[in-house]
Amino acid sequence: MPDPAVPPTPPVPLAALLAREDLALRQIAGPAGAGAAVRWAHASEMSDPYPYLLGGELLLTAGVHIPEAAGSGTYFDDYVARIVAAGGAALGFGVAPVHDTVPRALVAACEAYGLPLLEVPPRTTFAAVARAVWQLMAQARLAELRRVSEAQHSLAAAASRPDPVPSVLRRLAQCLDGWAALYGPEGTRVAAAGREPEGEVVRALAGLARVVTGRASSTASDTVAGVHLSAYALGTGRGFALGAAAPRRDPGDHTIASVAAVLLTLLTGEHLSGTGAARSSALVRLLLGAPPEEVAPLLGPGAGEAADGAQRWFVVHARPDAGVPDPVAASALGAALGSPLVDPGRDAVRVLLPAGREPAPQPGWTLGVSAPAAPPEWPAADAQAARALARARATRTPLVRHSARRGLADLVPGDEAEAHARALLAPLTPALAETLRTWLSLHGSWDRTAVALSVHRNTVRQRIARCAALLEADLDDADVRMELWFALRRLER
């Protein structure tokens, strides 16, 4: 757990503060180049500042508290010892207006206790030093945020590669400049990337992984042989964990590793689950030529049965009310409808949904739903859903269903009806036939047909006039319209 006394910003290297020419600070005691870091600046003239320090401060003093006889006793040793005990990072001594030089005994005490001592020149105020510390902290924070943001983007890109799990581990190891490993149940290493540390460190990290997979905690950290270790339980519920080993622990490392853990949770949850494996198997079988009715059972339970005993499904076409569909929104739509079988197409999202899950209107979406269809009928159901979506958009209705009710036209023998329909509509091109079907379904509305087909209303008028000419028919006649409608519906099947 992070220390609540430590600010959520990267510390400022003391060397960066000394490099500020506008401050003209000079280190006169203490270890040089030791990597000291400052978390904040604090001015105090207390003879014992210990109770008021949190640790990591650059303590600034003008020496007002120093008694005249301090140089001959243990005053400076006691003063410096208390600062070091409180965790002070460095001491800055202003040589004006009380003292003209830094007391030699103070220099000796800082040297003895290993506390960096800075000389603050008369022209540099303590406020300027404190402001410089905060400026450097803000710059460091911005740099760290940029690093975290870039790491998040690179991890997401790695997750989209053909080998997502190894790619995410490799990218995490690069971001941490260390080693990353995925552990399975009982601490078994599944995959790893980066520079593998010494055996002692590897064993310790595996032990941390067992701690989090045992659900004693969702995260755990440790330091072994100077290497910082961390482990994160993956939310798959199958005993997987992410482990990371790095030579240092920067403030953003926890956020970066947490993002990787989330991505690996999604990846292991899908690819290591029974449903994910079944869907992969279904895709392979389809690509290798298996008929849809053999593949459908692998996709999950449908509902009801067709005449041949096959399970039935809905095909749903959807478009967002604003903008174009994107993969994230498409996945969210599938989850809302209750199916992971989503195709985020360019113009519309398609969802394959078991017929037992009735599609409902979704906020921000317009939906077209097919009639329940057995797997051999999926292509026809796809066309039904597309037409239902076009009608829904034209009528500004959130959801339109394709009607599968039997009518008078179903009383005509199928072969004869289809032959008559083909002969009647033979003069029309597919584009003209689709325009005529949409126009008739929308009761001859030019504007709604234009919306449904995504064309100009004048284009609709021209196409309908062309249909009338090719068919040599009066499209204002209700009987003619009805006969053409029955013919168009027959050819949908």
Side-chain angles (χ1 to χ4, degrees):
M1 292 292 292
D3 185 351
V6 176
T9 53
V12 174
L14 188 60
L17 198 62
L18 291 168
R20 290 281 296 254
E21 295 182 359
D22 58 321
L23 299 178
L25 302 177
R26 185 168 66 95
Q27 184 172 349
I28 58 177
V38 174
R39 293 192 177 275
W40 33 46
H42 175 62
S44 174
E45 297 300 335
M46 302 289 294
S47 60
D48 181 14
Y50 180 94
Y52 307 98
L53 300 182
L54 294 174
E57 293 92 350
L58 167 59
L59 181 63
L60 300 169
T61 180
V64 176
H65 58 89
I66 301 176
E68 292 185 4
S72 60
T74 63
Y75 181 85
F76 286 116
D77 281 343
D78 296 340
Y79 178 69
V80 173
R82 293 289 282 172
I83 295 174
V84 172
L91 176 65
F93 193 91
V95 294
V98 180
H99 298 269
D100 294 331
T101 60
V102 181
R104 293 181 181 178
L106 178 60
V107 175
C110 288
E111 194 68 44
Y113 283 92
L115 179 69
L117 175 62
L118 312 183
E119 180 186 76
V120 182
R123 66 180 179 86
T124 301
T125 64
F126 288 174
V129 175
R131 181 178 61 187
V133 170
W134 293 116
Q135 287 174 343
L136 291 170
M137 290 181 70
Q139 293 172 9
R141 178 62 172 165
L142 180 60
E144 190 67 13
L145 289 174
R146 186 179 294 113
R147 170 178 172 256
V148 170
S149 177
E150 291 174 352
Q152 289 174 334
H153 283 88
S154 63
L155 287 168
S160 66
R161 292 176 58 87
D163 54 342
V165 171
S167 295
V168 169
L169 291 175
R170 281 196 299 270
R171 189 57 199 155
L172 177 61
Q174 292 170 0
C175 291
L176 302 182
D177 191 27
W179 189 63
L182 175 66
Y183 294 93
E186 300 180 359
T188 304
R189 191 197 308 173
V190 177
R195 300 188 303 273
E196 184 170 346
E198 298 295 329
E200 177 187 6
V201 175
V202 173
R203 289 190 293 272
L205 186 57
L208 278 185
R210 285 191 291 271
V211 169
V212 297
T213 54
R215 298 298 169 181
S217 173
S218 59
T219 62
S221 61
D222 196 2
T223 301
V224 175
V227 179
H228 298 283
L229 309 180
S230 56
Y232 303 80
L234 304 188
T236 59
R238 297 178 176 82
F240 287 87
L242 168 65
R248 61 184 181 278
R249 183 171 291 160
D250 293 331
D253 288 351
H254 175 72
T255 301
I256 294 171
S258 296
V259 171
V262 170
L263 292 171
L264 291 171
T265 294
L266 296 174
L267 294 170
T268 56
E270 172 67 16
H271 293 287
L272 299 177
S273 67
T275 55
R279 292 183 202 120
S280 297
S281 177
L283 175 61
V284 170
R285 294 189 191 186
L286 278 175
L287 292 174
L288 296 180
E293 56 268 24
E294 291 185 9
V295 172
L298 296 175
L299 301 179
E305 291 188 351
D308 59 359
Q311 294 176 331
R312 296 183 298 171
W313 301 70
F314 290 118
V315 177
V316 179
H317 281 220
R319 284 192 62 169
D321 295 339
V324 296
D326 63 78
V328 175
S331 297
L333 174 66
L337 291 174
S339 174
L341 305 174
V342 180
D343 173 27
R346 178 179 178 183
D347 298 321
V349 176
R350 299 190 298 178
V351 183
L352 191 59
L353 183 67
R357 302 172 185 172
E358 286 291 328
Q362 300 298 320
W365 292 87
T366 301
L367 276 61
V369 182
S370 73
E377 301 165 348
W378 284 351
D382 187 48
Q384 292 173 2
R387 288 167 181 153
L389 174 60
R391 184 173 178 81
R393 294 183 63 234
T395 57
R396 294 182 173 85
T397 304
L399 185 149
V400 168
R401 300 174 184 273
H402 177 84
S403 176
R405 293 181 300 172
R406 291 179 59 84
L408 292 173
D410 296 313
L411 301 177
V412 180
D415 292 343
E416 295 180 18
E418 184 173 343
H420 174 71
R422 292 189 182 282
L424 180 62
L425 301 173
L428 303 184
T429 64
L432 289 176
E434 180 61 17
T435 301
L436 179 60
R437 190 206 64 77
T438 304
W439 183 71
L440 290 172
S441 73
L442 296 170
H443 311 293
S445 170
W446 307 110
D447 292 330
R448 290 182 174 183
T449 303
V451 171
L453 297 176
S454 299
V455 298
H456 195 275
R457 67 193 306 273
N458 289 341
T459 302
V460 177
R461 287 183 176 274
Q462 293 168 4
R463 290 182 182 178
I464 295 301
R466 181 63 175 160
C467 289
L470 291 174
L471 296 173
E472 299 180 355
D474 179 7
L475 296 183
D476 291 331
D477 188 319
D479 290 335
V480 172
R481 290 192 183 195
M482 184 172 295
E483 183 177 3
L484 290 172
W485 176 251
F486 285 150
L488 289 163
R489 288 293 302 274
R490 172 58 60 177
L491 293 185
E492 285 183 14
R493 304 178 182 186

